[in-house]
C-alpha cells in the first residue's frame, strides 16, 4: 500500500504535466469539433426569382392627343405603342404619323402626341434650307456661321432635294442631320414641295 506522503510528493511532482495534458486535450477537442461543424449551404436563387427582382417598373408621362393623358407605370421593355394603349389610344385628331410607336420607353420619359393642327402650324415655322438666308440658317440649333456658309456654297451648285444631301457638305454628320430634321424643310420647283 502506497504511503500518503509518497502520493502527495508524486502528485506535486507531476501536477504540471496533468495541467499541460488537460490543456492539450481541451484544445484538441475544440479543434476537432470545429471540423465537424458544417458551414451553412448556400441558398440557390431560382432564375424565376432573379427575373422578378430585375424586372423593374418605370413611369412614363404621356400628353397630347390621347384619350387619357397621365403618368403610367410600365414594364421596363415597353414601347411607345404600349403607353398609347394604356392611355386609351389616340384621339380622332392625333397625328399618328408623327409618332414612332416602336420606340423603347425609359423611366421619366415624357411623350407628347401632336394633333394634326399642331403639326401643320409647326411645319409652317420650319426653315427652308433652299431659300433661307445665312442668318436664318444660323437660327437652326447646331448650325453656326461656317455650316451656314457651306450650305449657301452648296446651293450655288445645286439645290437640296432631300435632307440626306447635307451629308455631301463637310461638317454634317448623321447625328446632326437627325437633330435638325424636325426644324427644316426643302423646296424644289421641279419636284414640288418637300417637308423633311
Amino acid at each position: 500500500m502506497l504511503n500518503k506522503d509518497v502520493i502527495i510528493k508524486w502528485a506535486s511532482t507531476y501536477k504540471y504535466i496533468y495541467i499541460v495534458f488537460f490543456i492539450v486535450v481541451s484544445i484538441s477537442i475544440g479543434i476537432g469539433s470545429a471540423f465537424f461543424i458544417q458551414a451553412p449551404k448556400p441558398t440557390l436563387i431560382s432564375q424565376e426569382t432573379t427575373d422578378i427582382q430585375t424586372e423593374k417598373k418605370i413611369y412614363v408621362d404621356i400628353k397630347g392627343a390621347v384619350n387619357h393623358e397621365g403618368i403610367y407605370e410600365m414594364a421596363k421593355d415597353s414601347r411607345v405603342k404600349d403607353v398609347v394603349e394604356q392611355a386609351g389610344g389616340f384621339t380622332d385628331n392625333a397625328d399618328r404619323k408623327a409618332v414612332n410607336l416602336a420606340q423603347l420607353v425609359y423611366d421619366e420619359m415624357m411623350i407628347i402626341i401632336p394633333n394634326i393642327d399642331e403639326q401643320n402650324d409647326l411645319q409652317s415655322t420650319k426653315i427652308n434650307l433652299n431659300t433661307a438666308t445665312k442668318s436664318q440658317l444660323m437660327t437652326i440649333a447646331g448650325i453656326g456661321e461656317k455650316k451656314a456658309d457651306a450650305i449657301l456654297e452648296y446651293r450655288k451648285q445645286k439645290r437640296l432635294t432631300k435632307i440626306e444631301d447635307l451629308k455631301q457638305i463637310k461638317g454634317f454628320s448623321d447625328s446632326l442631320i437627325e437633330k435638325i430634321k424636325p426644324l427644316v424643310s426643302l423646296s424644289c420647283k421641279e419636284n414640288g414641295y418637300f417637308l423633311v
Side-chain angles (χ1 to χ4, degrees):
M1 201 164 169
L2 290 172
N3 186 332
K4 186 178 178 184
D5 291 334
V6 172
I7 293 171
I8 292 171
K9 185 177 178 184
W10 183 81
S12 64
T13 304
Y14 294 104
K15 71 178 176 182
Y16 296 108
I17 294 173
Y18 287 124
I19 292 170
V20 170
F21 176 76
F22 178 75
I23 292 170
V24 170
V25 170
S26 298
I27 291 171
S28 299
I29 291 171
I31 291 172
S33 63
F35 283 114
F36 290 105
I37 296 173
Q38 292 183 353
K41 291 182 180 179
T43 306
L44 295 176
I45 300 173
S46 71
Q47 184 63 38
E48 190 176 310
T49 307
T50 306
D51 290 345
I52 291 169
Q53 289 173 348
T54 56
E55 186 185 331
K56 291 183 177 177
K57 295 290 184 182
I58 59 172
Y59 294 90
V60 180
D61 187 5
I62 186 164
K63 303 175 186 300
V66 288
N67 288 307
H68 305 290
E69 295 178 307
I71 298 171
Y72 291 90
E73 184 181 292
M74 305 297 297
K76 193 167 69 171
D77 59 348
S78 298
R79 298 187 182 268
V80 170
K81 173 185 175 288
D82 303 318
V83 185
V84 170
E85 287 172 1
Q86 285 290 318
F90 291 113
T91 59
D92 292 338
N93 66 340
D95 187 355
R96 297 168 190 233
K97 292 180 181 177
V99 183
N100 180 1
L101 294 172
Q103 182 182 358
L104 281 166
V105 298
Y106 52 88
D107 195 31
E108 299 180 10
M109 180 178 185
M110 182 169 68
I111 303 167
I112 300 175
I113 308 295
N115 65 46
I116 294 167
D117 298 332
E118 288 172 346
Q119 282 297 92
N120 290 337
D121 292 343
L122 180 62
Q123 287 168 355
S124 66
T125 62
K126 291 183 177 184
I127 304 290
N128 187 318
L129 292 178
N130 282 313
T131 60
T133 63
K134 179 178 177 178
S135 59
Q136 288 172 326
L137 290 170
M138 289 173 61
T139 63
I140 302 169
I143 297 183
E145 188 173 356
K146 287 184 180 179
K147 286 187 176 71
D149 285 337
I151 291 171
L152 294 174
E153 194 61 36
Y154 181 87
R155 279 181 2 197
K156 289 178 183 176
Q157 310 297 320
K158 56 183 170 179
R159 286 184 169 271
L160 294 158
T161 58
K162 57 186 183 297
I163 190 73
E164 288 74 19
D165 289 346
L166 288 172
K167 291 180 186 178
Q168 299 173 30
I169 303 173
K170 185 179 178 181
F172 283 89
S173 63
D174 289 338
S175 59
L176 177 58
I177 291 169
E178 282 301 311
K179 182 180 175 182
I180 67 171
K181 237 180 191 182
L183 309 173
V184 300
S185 67
L186 301 173
S187 174
C188 298
K189 289 179 183 177
E190 64 272 19
N191 293 326
Y193 187 74
F194 297 87
L195 284 176
V196 182

